[in-house]
Amino acid sequence: MKELSRLLMQMEFIREIDKLKYIQRKTKLFNSERHENDAEHSWHLAMMVMVLSEYANEPINVLKVLKMVLLHDIVEIDAGDTFLYDTTKDHTNTDEELIAAHRIFGILPEDMAKDFTEIWIEFENGESNDAKFAKAIDRLEPILQNISNQGGTWTEYAVSFDTVYQKIDKIKHGSTFLWDHVEELIEDFRKKV
Amino acid sequence: MKELSRLLMQMEFIREIDKLKYIQRKTKLFNSERHENDAEHSWHLAMMVMVLSEYANEPINVLKVLKMVLLHDIVEIDAGDTFLYDTTKDHTNTDEELIAAHRIFGILPEDMAKDFTEIWIEFENGESNDAKFAKAIDRLEPILQNISNQGGTWTEYAVSFDTVYQKIDKIKHGSTFLWDHVEELIEDFRKKV
């Protein structure tokens, strides 16, 4: 089972994904002017899953959800960061991202490439309980960041609160409890601006 | 069960750990002059656990190992990065880090603070199968980085190969298969310098 050729593919993948640390997001760190990169973002989501999993609407497989958030943005190494409030490009499941998934996960041994691609597609589809919760957490982090940064990307790109609510609606599908809290945070913030 | 006071503690923790993104390590990204930060490092270790867990010497609990690598450096928010080859300060389990663990994990609700602290201490002790494998992965990443960077911190701080081998010996305890590969990588590199 332990073959060197298999390990070499895995090592190449480990080197390749280092590039995620250069993919800059539009959102900034908490109370900061510094943009967040995708690797930092993915780590933060994983920690949030560890801390908040008890609030999922339905029972979830924490290990699966962790894998989802850890690898969900790896396609952006090729496809680039897609901004949630971009009006010209849809956020989910672009052809470009699918090609990227095949190239990057395809560096791995076949069984593992298949496994990682399936986890990524499950996340993108957002239909399983695990994916719904992972998506909720992915939406939650930038909201907290934006509120800490006087509106952050909402202010910078003049995004209306209607649009914000439309885009973050997915939180509800993962956790109505977290949604209620988020709504309150946004309304509190709205009163101040 | 779902109490707002509990969630508020969890949210405060989530905001607090953002600081890990500012803790700079001595090692640099692959083929790069840019230092890695602890959040990026922790994400990369988590991905490596996903990819390499099959090589653990003993059966491991992948979920537990992921939790270990995701939170193992959070204490450095207060205690700062400890350099593996630092000759004046021992790398593991300093008093400073224990105080940091109590402060930072202590932001969480009591049950969760206890859980996270126990996972961190298990990692630090390095005695369980899960901790041995997590430690092996923590040692492995900077070796790959240093080799890609013409010796990286080994060259920069004039660390002898004897010292390198002494410090990375722990990889063996987690995975003799990965150790054999690492030894080969280092010997190949050594021939070139």
Side-chain angles (χ1 to χ4, degrees), chain B residues 61-75:
Chain B
N61 175 343
V62 175
L63 177 57
K64 169 72 88 69
V65 179
L66 281 178
K67 288 178 177 181
M68 278 182 182
V69 298
L70 287 167
L71 63 70
H72 80 292
D73 269 344
I74 285 179
V75 294

Side-chain angles (χ1 to χ4, degrees), chain A residues 105-118:
Chain A
F105 298 140
I107 295 170
L108 288 164
E110 207 177 320
D111 60 319
M112 204 166 252
K114 187 168 171 287
D115 183 39
F116 281 34
T117 306
E118 281 172 2

Side-chain angles (χ1 to χ4, degrees), chain B residues 83 85 87 151-164:
Chain B
F83 181 43
Y85 301 105
T87 50
T153 58
W154 301 333
T155 311
E156 197 177 338
Y157 297 91
V159 183
S160 73
F161 282 101
D162 281 354
T163 306
V164 170

Side-chain angles (χ1 to χ4, degrees), chain A residues 98-129:
Chain A
L98 195 60
I99 293 167
H102 287 313
R103 184 191 75 76
I104 305 169
F105 298 140
I107 295 170
L108 288 164
E110 207 177 320
D111 60 319
M112 204 166 252
K114 187 168 171 287
D115 183 39
F116 281 34
T117 306
E118 281 172 2
I119 293 173
W120 176 73
I121 289 175
E122 183 180 337
F123 171 80
E124 285 294 310
N125 288 343
E127 283 164 12
S128 68
N129 291 336

Side-chain angles (χ1 to χ4, degrees), chain B residues 43-177:
Chain B
W43 168 78
H44 214 147
L45 298 196
M47 287 302 308
M48 289 171 75
V49 169
M50 280 176 61
V51 171
L52 301 174
S53 62
E54 64 190 275
Y55 302 119
N57 287 342
E58 305 289 338
I60 54 167
N61 175 343
V62 175
L63 177 57
K64 169 72 88 69
V65 179
L66 281 178
K67 288 178 177 181
M68 278 182 182
V69 298
L70 287 167
L71 63 70
H72 80 292
D73 269 344
I74 285 179
V75 294
E76 297 193 349
I77 288 175
D78 286 356
D81 177 49
T82 308
F83 181 43
L84 183 61
Y85 301 105
D86 191 330
T87 50
T88 59
K89 197 175 171 184
D90 190 10
H91 185 68
T92 50
N93 227 342
T94 62
D95 290 347
E96 218 182 337
E97 287 190 346
L98 195 60
I99 294 167
H102 288 313
R103 184 191 75 77
I104 304 169
F105 298 140
I107 295 170
L108 288 163
E110 206 176 322
D111 59 319
M112 203 166 253
K114 186 167 172 285
D115 184 39
F116 281 34
T117 305
E118 281 172 2
I119 292 172
W120 177 73
I121 290 174
E122 183 180 336
F123 170 81
E124 285 295 308
N125 289 344
E127 283 165 12
S128 69
N129 291 337
D130 294 336
K132 280 181 195 162
F133 190 71
K135 288 249 174 209
I137 296 297
D138 189 31
R139 290 288 185 274
L140 178 56
E141 191 222 23
I143 296 170
L144 302 178
Q145 289 168 325
N146 276 351
I147 289 176
S148 82
N149 288 321
Q150 296 81 48
T153 58
W154 301 333
T155 311
E156 197 177 338
Y157 297 91
V159 183
S160 73
F161 282 101
D162 281 354
T163 306
V164 170
Y165 274 118
Q166 196 184 316
K167 291 285 185 178
I168 66 176
D169 198 56
K170 285 202 167 68
I171 294 176
K172 240 183 266 179
H173 308 315
S175 170
T176 53
F177 184 72

